[in-house]
Each structure stands twice: as structure tokens, then as C-alpha cells.
Amino acid sequence: MHRHLHADRSQADRPHAHDLRHHGDAEVRDDGAELTDLAVNVRTDTPPSWLREHIAASLTSLAAYPDGRAARAAVARRHGLAPERVLLTAGAAEAFVLLARALRVRRPVVVHPQFTEPEAALRDAGHEVRRVLLRAEDGFRLDPAAVPEDADLVVVGNPTNPTSVLHPAGLIAQLARPGRTLVVDEAFMDAVPGEREALADRTDVPGLVVLRSLTKTWGLAGLRIGYVLAAPETVAELERAQPLWPVSTPALAAAEACMTPRALAEAEAAARSIAADRAHLLAGLAEFDEVTAVREAEGPFVLIRVEGAAGLRAHLRDLGFALRRGDTFPGLDPDWLRLAVRDRETTDRLLGALEKALASAGR
């Protein structure tokens, strides 16, 4: 336990040691190169045509102010919750900002490596953030004992971006304490078959706040839609910090559509397809002695370690593939890369390019 806390304190003193605002889209934009995108964790060939048509139909209502009641009720039904436990947001990123600004927090802790936006939002709101670093040699598994007892807000991802590790729900629930807000980022949970280890439907965990995103599975990153599930008093507190009409009418239409039985069945089928494609990717990566993958991956992406990753990433870019650098995530060094799970044909092309890149580096 002391090992984790020591790492936590040392990094807390260096808030700018990592570029917390770096995101995967930076790997594929601006230079005009035609790249196969393995840097952004949005499912390919999305949004589906039926969802695009549903969103387009909402454009006839743009003269009216957005009304989120139907979408809020749809999200509540999907999770078996009361509407008062649901808050719709402009993507999960807005939810992190609301949590940082609206809640009376004094001792926040973020479990890393994970999505960096929660820490960035907390720091921007003036909080001093402590870090608990999960270790590669432990498989990036959660250790509840490593989280300081005095933390009044704890943020953890599940499955975690970028490690792709799925933590047991019971283990995460052990982090709950009276007077503590436990924030679980489940942005990628709908990419896990059966949503194993989800906490979204739970009302028995004190202080639990679950964040969900619709941008990954449905390809709606440009629309900005997500939601918070929490106790009614927490939802009310966050809602008071929102501007009026924070979610647009097209985004509300998308949220309502993505809660239907048809959509949930399609998401489950996609999750099972991703699991099979991920197994194919991991099997291919295992053929390279130079590459170590986090084999416990359960999300739509895989984290790998390879010596000289920065040069390899540049070489793969020259060969037409964009990968996500890992060194912007606290707890990871420059030898880590994250790559999105794609179909088998794309993976086979990547593996061929990887073989060529490694050979050219003389390995």
C-alpha cells in the first residue's frame, strides 16, 4: 500500500508531467494524411443509418427549445431507475466538469492510468488531485487498499481507458464510504458483452455516481451526448451547475433512440463482435516477441508496450496507421501505445505493417 501512495504523492507535485488534454483525435487530424484510425475508440461504420435518420428527423424541431424529459425517462427505463436519478449531459466530458465544480470536494483522488479528463477538470476547478497508480506488473488491477481513506471523491474507469482492464464491480464497490463520492466512468461498458461488472443500475452503493457515454458505440462524438446516474440529491446539485438547455434537440433524440430494445440488442451484438476481433488482435500481437500486450483487455482497445514506441508509432504512421501514444496517461511511460480494436481485415493489415516497422528498426 505504501508503494502506491508514495507514487501518488510524487506525481501530485508534478501536475504538468503529463499532457492531460491530449486525446486520440490529435493523432489523426490536421496533416492531411489518409490514415487507418486506431487512435480513437469510436466504433467504425457508425452511426448506423437508422440512427442518422432519427437524428435528422429531429431537425424539424430546432425552432423550439430542447425538452429532455422523454430522453431522460428513456435512460431511466433502460437502467430501471427513477428519472430523478438521471442527468443528461453534453458527453461524459461535461459531467466531469460538473462534478469538479458543483460538488464540495476537498480531497479528490483519481485512479490511474485512466482517461485524463476527470483530473484535468478537477485541477481546472482549483482542486489539488492525488493520484493512485495501478501497476503493469499487477495487471493494472484495482487495489482498493491503495486509495487513501480520507479521499472524499474517488474516480475510477471501468473498463478503464487506456488499460482496457475490467474491474470487478464488487471490488469497486469496496471504495464506497460515508461522505465519499465514488465516480465510476463506464463510458465503454456497453462494449463489454452483457455489461459484466456494471454498476449503472445499482442504488445500494453509497455516494455512487456512474457516467455513461453514447459517443463510442454509436459514433456520436460530434454530437456530444452522455449521462450521469446518481442519487437524486447529487443529480439536482449537478443540474444546478449546468447552463440552460445543455443538451441539443438532436442529441436528445439520439439518446432516446439508443435506449430502445432494438438499439440495446445491436449494441450487445457489437460488443460480442468486438470481443472476437479483440481476441484476434491479441493473438496476432502475441506473435511478436518485442510487443507486450495487456492481455486482460475487455474493452474496444488494447494497450501494448514496446521499446522505442515513439519511433514505432511514427513508422506505423508512415505506413498508414494512427496509434494513440500512451505517455500522456499518468502511470505510463513513452513505451506504451493504445490501439483500437477493428475488424480482422484491418487488424491483419496492421500486423503486417507492424512486422515491417519492427524489421526496419532492426529488431
Side-chain angles (χ1 to χ4, degrees):
M1 180 172 71
H2 295 299
R3 177 179 60 241
H4 289 273
L5 294 180
H6 176 74
D8 168 25
R9 291 193 191 100
S10 67
Q11 290 217 20
D13 294 334
R14 295 183 291 113
H16 304 297
H18 296 84
D19 180 3
L20 300 180
R21 294 296 189 187
H22 183 87
H23 299 298
D25 62 321
E27 314 285 356
V28 293
R29 66 186 181 204
D30 294 340
D31 68 354
E34 292 190 11
L35 300 169
T36 297
D37 179 10
L38 303 179
V40 178
N41 296 321
V42 173
R43 186 163 63 102
T44 55
D45 300 321
T46 54
S49 58
W50 62 265
L51 183 53
R52 291 198 304 270
E53 291 167 5
H54 188 83
I55 294 170
S58 75
L59 299 181
T60 59
S61 304
L62 292 186
Y65 286 97
D67 183 347
R69 288 175 296 179
R72 189 176 193 174
V75 171
R77 284 194 302 271
R78 181 254 197 269
H79 291 287
L81 301 172
E84 293 76 20
R85 300 185 71 94
V86 176
L87 180 68
L88 301 171
T89 61
E94 188 206 5
F96 290 126
V97 173
L98 294 175
L99 288 164
R101 295 181 179 178
L103 300 186
R104 290 176 289 277
V105 175
R106 301 184 66 182
R107 296 175 297 277
V109 168
V110 178
V111 179
H112 285 289
Q114 79 148 351
F115 184 49
T116 54
E117 200 61 35
E119 179 172 327
L122 285 163
R123 291 193 182 279
D124 287 348
H127 298 288
E128 180 179 342
V129 181
R130 288 179 290 176
R131 296 172 176 173
V132 170
L133 303 181
L134 306 184
R135 307 188 317 153
E137 49 265 51
D138 298 330
F140 294 111
R141 295 182 182 89
L142 177 65
D143 177 8
V147 176
E149 277 294 326
D150 67 346
D152 58 1
L153 181 141
V154 177
V155 184
V156 61
N158 204 35
T160 302
N161 171 22
T163 65
S164 204
V165 171
L166 182 67
H167 306 296
L171 205 62
I172 293 179
Q174 289 181 27
L175 294 172
R177 301 280 190 281
R180 172 185 288 178
T181 300
L182 173 59
V183 179
V184 184
D185 177 6
E186 291 189 352
F188 293 99
M189 187 61 79
D190 60 354
V192 176
E195 296 198 356
R196 302 186 332 275
E197 314 304 341
L199 287 166
D201 303 350
R202 298 274 295 271
T203 60
D204 60 324
V205 180
L208 178 65
V209 176
V210 174
L211 275 55
R212 286 288 183 107
S213 170
L214 299 178
T215 65
K216 320 301 183 186
T217 289
W218 298 111
L220 298 175
L223 199 59
R224 310 310 306 141
I225 179 65
Y227 54 90
V228 175
L229 305 173
E233 56 270 23
T234 302
V235 166
E237 198 167 1
L238 298 177
E239 192 169 19
R240 283 193 293 271
Q242 278 186 311
L244 290 173
W245 312 292
V247 181
S248 69
T249 294
L252 293 170
E256 190 174 357
C258 291
M259 298 300 116
T260 63
R262 168 189 178 173
L264 296 178
E266 184 173 323
E268 176 66 16
R272 296 188 181 280
S273 178
I274 288 168
D277 290 338
R278 184 181 59 244
H280 180 69
L281 171 61
L282 287 170
L285 292 171
E287 297 296 318
F288 297 95
D289 293 337
E290 305 92 336
V291 177
T292 301
V294 179
R295 301 199 61 81
E296 297 85 352
E298 296 278 359
F301 46 89
V302 170
L303 184 67
I304 65 172
R305 187 170 196 172
V306 56
E307 186 178 347
L312 180 66
R313 182 171 64 92
H315 200 153
L316 286 170
R317 188 178 184 85
D318 291 339
L319 294 173
F321 293 89
L323 277 64
R324 169 67 158 88
R325 57 189 282 202
D327 61 324
T328 63
F329 294 99
L332 300 184
D333 62 33
D335 285 340
W336 291 95
L337 298 171
R338 190 194 70 194
L339 51 156
V341 173
R342 300 297 187 221
D343 61 88
R344 292 192 174 205
E345 180 183 353
T346 301
T347 292
D348 288 342
R349 289 194 295 109
L350 167 69
L351 294 171
L354 180 59
E355 183 175 21
K356 183 181 297 185
L358 289 170
S360 70
R363 302 183 198 179

